[in-house]
Amino acid sequence: MSAKILVVEDEPAIQALIAVNLKRAGHEVVAALDAETARRHVDEMLPDLVLLDWMLPGMSGLEFARRLRGDARTRNVPIIMLTARGEESDKVQGLTTGADDYVTKPFSPKELLARIQAVLRRQRPQAAEDALEVNDLRLDPVTHRVTAAGRAVNLGPTEFRLLHFLMAHAERVHSRVQLLDQVWGDHVFVEERTVDVHIRRLRAALEATGHDALVQTVRGSGYRLSAEAAEQ
Ligand code: CA
């Protein structure tokens, strides 16, 4: 499972060591020496995971984690805190701030990679290979097959990814911007109304069996896939 990982670490030697190992494992790495630079990176691209040093010059890693959690766009981006501290109280503080895991320096690259994989698997159910099913609508990520009430549904690649994401995060409302980030990746050159176009195509493909009703518009907020009837 390869991911776009933002590494925020002010010690150049440690940053370089982490970057080399992540790249070797197939990940894409963006690095920053401080939280201010990291914030600019986050504005430009939504990382799949943030590796965040606790002790940074200027804004601390803890404060940066708090800000990521406070912003709707970055709320669900997993964070692994890196720290030289091994105190239990610090660990608790880090985890309550919203970090998903905590790695104490010095760590082995192997251990760090294992932790990253574990957090990614937990945070990105759509990346897992399990088939998803909602009300007789079934999507198999391995074979790329979608069936509705047992009948094959033909979807374009974007509609497939869109449905995959919506099914993996069923019942939750996603704004167009969040969908662009999660389904299209880098959304810089894609307009928000593109999402509406693909939602329309997805609904059309599901119409024959009535499963288009699962793909719901939440006025003023975005879209959601729900097994419950939409409120009017
Ligand atoms: Ca540091």
Side-chain angles (χ1 to χ4, degrees):
M1 197 187 300
S2 75
K4 223 186 302 174
I5 300 178
L6 173 63
V7 179
V8 194
E9 165 63 66
D10 63 309
E11 283 160 75
I14 298 179
Q15 188 195 89
L17 178 74
I18 294 172
V20 162
N21 281 284
L22 294 185
K23 284 178 188 163
R24 202 176 285 154
H27 297 297
E28 194 184 315
V29 178
V30 177
L33 293 167
D34 54 65
E36 283 73 19
T37 311
R39 250 168 102 181
R40 282 200 296 277
H41 286 311
V42 169
D43 285 343
E44 284 157 20
M45 61 90 165
L46 191 67
D48 297 315
L49 184 139
V50 180
L51 271 185
L52 182 57
D53 186 24
W54 182 301
M55 299 294 278
L56 292 169
M59 190 194 299
S60 74
L62 205 59
E63 178 57 27
F64 184 55
R66 232 174 245 138
R67 291 189 185 206
L68 289 174
R69 283 293 173 263
D71 181 341
R73 185 169 168 266
T74 53
R75 186 163 295 150
N76 298 319
V77 175
I79 300 169
I80 298 180
M81 297 286 298
L82 301 175
T83 185
R85 307 173 182 208
E87 305 274 328
E88 201 58 27
S89 62
D90 288 341
K91 180 172 176 170
V92 170
Q93 199 187 349
L95 292 174
T96 53
T97 303
D100 296 89
D101 203 355
Y102 191 98
V103 177
T104 307
K105 294 178 195 171
F107 48 82
S108 74
K110 208 175 148 190
E111 182 199 354
L112 183 64
L113 285 168
R115 300 284 197 95
I116 288 171
Q117 290 304 101
V119 168
L120 286 175
R121 254 195 302 276
R122 221 166 45 225
Q123 288 288 124
R124 297 170 64 195
Q126 84 274 20
E129 302 199 327
D130 297 339
L132 300 166
E133 202 163 344
V134 177
N135 281 16
D136 237 9
L137 178 65
R138 192 169 189 280
L139 180 146
D140 187 334
V142 178
T143 61
H144 263 240
R145 285 216 172 91
V146 177
T147 54
R151 293 164 62 174
V153 177
N154 286 318
L155 296 177
T158 304
E159 285 73 48
F160 181 88
R161 285 203 308 277
L162 184 58
L163 181 62
H164 192 187
F165 179 77
L166 290 172
M167 287 180 80
H169 302 89
E171 305 303 331
R172 277 166 54 181
V173 180
H174 309 281
S175 70
R176 288 171 179 81
V177 171
Q178 283 167 339
L179 288 173
L180 284 173
D181 275 332
Q182 299 291 337
V183 178
W184 277 258
D186 193 345
H187 65 264
V188 178
F189 303 110
V190 185
E191 290 180 58
E192 284 187 35
R193 65 168 182 232
T194 301
V195 175
D196 304 332
V197 171
H198 289 277
I199 287 277
R200 257 201 309 277
R201 285 186 198 160
L202 178 58
R203 282 181 178 145
L206 298 173
E207 216 172 353
T209 50
H211 286 85
D212 54 317
L214 297 182
V215 183
Q216 300 169 2
T217 303
V218 181
R219 208 175 299 162
S221 303
Y223 294 104
R224 133 182 94 199
L225 185 131
S226 175
E228 308 287 322
E231 66 253 31
Q232 292 301 315

